[in-house]
């Protein structure tokens, strides 16, 4: 038909691909600082996670957040005493996992 344009659909990938991936490494930790996982502490985690080559995730009670996103981390609402699991998708990011664990264990220097 004249004047009709066909636009190909973008090459969409199914969502949730990363959710189906088995993490390369995980560690379960408890939030020890008095104020819990607030903006400053979440920003420290996001900064460290941002250096990773693969995905870095924080999980609490089945809710999972992208550890490179300050806002994602804050949506988990983790007060003192909360148990979280930090995971990496790529073994090459083991140092990132260790640095995040060290931050959490130290109470973010607070």
């Amino acid at each position: 038909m004249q004047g009709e344009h066909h636009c190909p659909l973008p090459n969409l990938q199914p969502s949730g691909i990363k959710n189906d991936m088995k993490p390369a490494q995980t560690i379960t930790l408890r939030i020890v600082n008095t104020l819990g996982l607030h903006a400053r502490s979440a920003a420290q985690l996001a900064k460290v996670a941002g250096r990773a080559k693969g995905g870095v995730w924080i999980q609490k009670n089945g809710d999972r957040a992208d550890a490179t996103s300050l806002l994602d981390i804050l949506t988990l609402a983790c007060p003192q005493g909360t148990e979280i699991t930090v995971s990496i998708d790529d073994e090459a990011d083991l140092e990132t996992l260790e640095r995040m664990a060290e931050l959490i264990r130290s109470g973010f220097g607070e």
Side-chain angles (χ1 to χ4, degrees):
M1 185 179 251
Q2 200 172 34
E4 187 174 307
H5 299 280
H6 294 279
C7 297
L9 291 174
N11 187 14
L12 299 175
Q13 294 192 5
S15 62
I17 290 175
K18 290 201 178 271
N19 289 337
D20 297 335
M21 292 179 63
K22 185 176 178 184
Q25 290 284 332
T26 65
I27 187 167
T28 300
L29 302 155
R30 189 168 303 277
I31 302 296
V32 297
N33 56 314
T34 306
L35 298 175
L37 200 49
H38 56 83
R40 191 175 70 78
S41 54
Q44 290 179 32
L45 289 177
K47 183 177 179 181
V48 172
R51 296 180 188 135
K53 294 178 181 170
V56 183
W57 311 94
I58 299 174
Q59 190 165 353
K60 173 194 146 194
N61 296 336
D63 292 329
R64 191 165 111 149
D66 179 351
T68 63
S69 168
L70 169 66
L71 289 178
D72 253 25
I73 295 171
L74 291 176
T75 62
L76 294 176
C78 299
Q80 183 181 29
T82 301
E83 189 172 272
I84 61 171
T85 300
V86 181
S87 61
I88 55 173
D89 289 343
D90 189 334
E91 292 271 350
D93 295 322
L94 204 51
E95 186 178 328
T96 298
L97 183 65
E98 290 169 357
R99 292 193 68 212
M100 291 176 72
E102 184 180 309
L103 273 173
I104 294 166
R105 287 185 186 123
S106 72
F108 301 94
E110 295 176 358

